[in-house]
Amino acid sequence: MDKIVNKTAQQESQIQKITLPIAPASFFAMTLGLAETGNAWRNATTLWSMPWYIGEILEALAVLSFVWWITLYINKWIQHRKLAVNEFNDPVQSSFLALIPESIILMALALHIYSESIAISLFWIGSILNLIYGAYRLSTLWTKERSADQTTPSLFLTFTASILVNALVAGILTYNHYGFLLLGIGTISWLIMDSVITQQLTVGGLGAKTRNFMGIYMAPPVILFVAYQVLAEDTLNIPITYGLMGYALFIFVAITFAIKWLKEQAFAPGYWAYTFGIATLSQGLSIFALKTSDAAVTTVALIVFCLTNLLVLSVIIGSIKLILKGNYFPK
């Protein structure tokens, strides 16, 4: 009898050992950062003859990270349903769920040079989920009460950043009319939401524990800068492109000046949010450098590309340190 009890206890212990960790949806920021850095390297290969395989390694890591995070997210709904429901209903954390369809869209971009059919399927799955979730979250702004401190840059994920990424990939997959439709939704949403979020940032501030949300703050202008170039193609308006580039760089420099304030938040997985913005800016600059003979654009593109790689490398190292310490996942 004792042997049976001991055997049962050992089996239960083994089950506990293979229990998957619980991760918030915000951890999908790693997938976005890796994917966009991979895209920046793909452009750098054309512009500066950089090694092509580095971009593909980053894209492969992005795909692997997506598989890992989506596995954890599905498991959360199965094994920890209450936590998943709470996250879905949370006024702030629910915004990060928009990273899931956005990640699916970026997986389509990562794979489109290998399998167009898989890429198109992934794109439409992610695109439709993106729009449905964005419209649903917009309706909750009207129908549910919110406090002022719940108005953070994370709102950009649902109504702006993810939809502009949707537009960007639509353009690359040659769905230009659909892409411009998405560009309109994302751009107008950005103009509306930016006034609300900036008002809160300047009056109510942002707590130290959520400072990495500022990585999200720079996302809309940099994605718009890229998406417009991709969609406009031969009809690209150079003055407009310079204007979009100027504002994207302006926000990037402003955030750089705020580094001391941002670093009041200890390093955490949320720091991956910064990698997406700067990698997308690098991608946009390299695309524009290929379209114009302006040496200044090429120089700035090279500088931002180098900074992108330094930031991504530092975040990877910081993440590895957290994993080795057992502090990466919330407890």
Side-chain angles (χ1 to χ4, degrees), residues 264-317:
E264 289 178 9
Q265 178 183 14
F267 182 84
Y271 268 57
W272 279 100
Y274 295 114
T275 65
F276 174 76
I278 189 172
T280 306
L281 177 60
S282 176
Q283 182 186 7
L285 288 168
S286 59
I287 291 173
F288 195 34
L290 289 167
K291 293 177 181 291
T292 180
S293 58
D294 192 334
V297 174
T298 304
T299 300
V300 173
L302 182 59
I303 292 171
V304 173
F305 178 70
C306 292
L307 291 174
T308 297
N309 287 283
L310 287 173
L311 177 61
V312 171
L313 182 60
S314 64
V315 173
I316 289 174
I317 292 172

Side-chain angles (χ1 to χ4, degrees), residues 14 28 39 44 52-53 68 94 96 120 141 146 169 185 193 218 225 231 242 268:
Q14 289 175 352
F28 278 93
N39 292 329
W52 65 270
Y53 56 84
W68 171 243
S94 60
F96 290 98
I120 289 173
L141 291 184
R146 299 175 61 90
V169 179
I185 296 172
M193 295 305 302
M218 73 175 290
F225 173 46
L231 288 167
Y242 270 106

Side-chain angles (χ1 to χ4, degrees), residues 195-212:
S195 61
V196 176
I197 292 170
T198 302
Q199 166 72 10
Q200 175 58 26
L201 288 174
T202 54
V203 176
L206 193 63
K209 291 184 178 181
T210 55
R211 297 275 166 86
N212 54 44

Side-chain angles (χ1 to χ4, degrees), residues 23-77:
S26 59
F27 281 19
F28 278 93
M30 177 190 288
T31 298
L32 270 64
L34 290 170
E36 279 299 87
T37 306
N39 292 329
W41 268 92
R42 281 176 172 177
N43 291 337
T45 298
T46 304
L47 184 58
W48 299 299
S49 300
M50 295 287 188
W52 65 270
Y53 56 84
I54 296 179
E56 301 316 302
I57 290 172
L58 288 165
E59 295 289 1
L61 290 174
V63 172
L64 290 174
S65 72
F66 172 73
V67 172
W68 171 243
W69 298 127
I70 198 66
T71 299
L72 295 190
Y73 184 70
I74 293 170
N75 181 69
K76 181 161 59 175
W77 275 97

Side-chain angles (χ1 to χ4, degrees), residues 233-250:
E233 294 184 322
D234 296 336
T235 62
L236 184 74
N237 185 296
I238 297 298
I240 289 177
T241 308
Y242 270 106
L244 294 175
M245 180 185 74
Y247 188 71
L249 287 170
F250 184 72

